[in-house]
Amino acid sequence: MGERLPLALRMRRLVRELAKFGTVGAFGVLVNVATFNLCLHVFGLATVRSGVIATAVAVATNYLGNRYWTYLHTAKTRVRREASLFLLFSGVGLVIENGVLALSHYGLGFTSPLADNIAKYGVGLGLGTAFRFWSYRTWVFRGRRSAGDVGEADDFPAEEQRKHRRVLL
């Protein structure tokens, strides 16, 4: 692959990828918040246990959204490897997210429901999401594009698509 895509094309793809990842993530946050507060306030589970359960439920939701929408264009030949890596990196993100919650709740003594939600979603989720985006696009969904795909370049002229088809495949 000697030729690189033009910067404008790469930036448009990155913006589109970030938007899709963000949309899937926003839905995952809703699932996470609802599950966390349900576990904490309805079922009376411990704070960090509620956080871990909520993150695990959101991870399952996010895998489906990322696999079948955000990274739909990547090859589907190594799904087992992809799912394993997704779970591994999601686990690291879970530790980041809930580690901040544990530090705030148990280490710093900020134990109010508001403080727990700020620590988990304001700080922990932000750090965990940055890590997840980097790791998913770098390691998990990085496979070759499928043969018929020219790289989500629908909005580019056919001539531009043909010109870069060799690089995209």
Side-chain angles (χ1 to χ4, degrees):
M1 291 195 155
E3 183 182 342
R4 288 183 57 104
L5 294 172
L7 180 61
L9 180 60
R10 289 185 310 199
M11 291 305 294
R12 279 187 243 187
R13 285 189 181 162
L14 180 61
V15 167
R16 182 177 290 159
E17 181 181 341
L18 278 167
K20 287 181 172 184
F21 185 84
T23 302
V24 169
F27 183 72
V29 168
L30 293 176
V31 169
N32 198 324
V33 169
T35 306
F36 176 69
N37 285 291
L38 182 73
C39 288
L40 192 63
H41 301 297
V42 174
F43 297 122
L45 298 177
T47 302
V48 175
R49 181 174 296 158
S50 297
V52 170
I53 291 169
T55 303
V57 172
V59 162
T61 303
N62 289 352
Y63 177 76
L64 295 173
N66 282 312
R67 161 65 358 239
Y68 296 106
W69 188 48
T70 306
Y71 298 104
L72 178 64
H73 61 279
T74 59
K76 313 246 182 336
T77 56
R78 301 175 75 180
V79 175
R80 183 174 289 174
R81 176 190 174 277
E82 173 187 287
S84 298
L85 287 173
F86 187 90
L87 288 173
L88 172 71
F89 291 121
S90 293
V92 172
L94 180 144
V95 170
I96 293 169
E97 181 179 325
N98 291 290
V100 170
L101 173 62
L103 176 66
S104 170
H105 190 88
Y106 299 111
L108 301 175
F110 297 123
T111 59
S112 73
L114 178 61
D116 288 342
N117 279 283
I118 289 172
K120 180 164 174 55
Y121 300 109
V123 181
L125 186 65
L127 294 173
T129 297
F131 171 78
R132 287 179 186 111
F133 179 73
W134 170 80
S135 63
Y136 294 166
R137 78 182 316 263
T138 303
W139 299 104
V140 180
F141 297 109
R142 68 183 187 117
R144 289 177 44 124
R145 296 175 186 277
S146 59
D149 184 25
V150 288
E152 291 192 54
D154 320 332
D155 53 319
F156 298 106
E159 181 179 319
E160 182 79 11
Q161 290 181 20
R162 279 190 302 276
K163 178 181 173 186
H164 297 291
R165 183 174 177 85
R166 184 184 74 206
V167 176
L168 294 172
L169 298 174

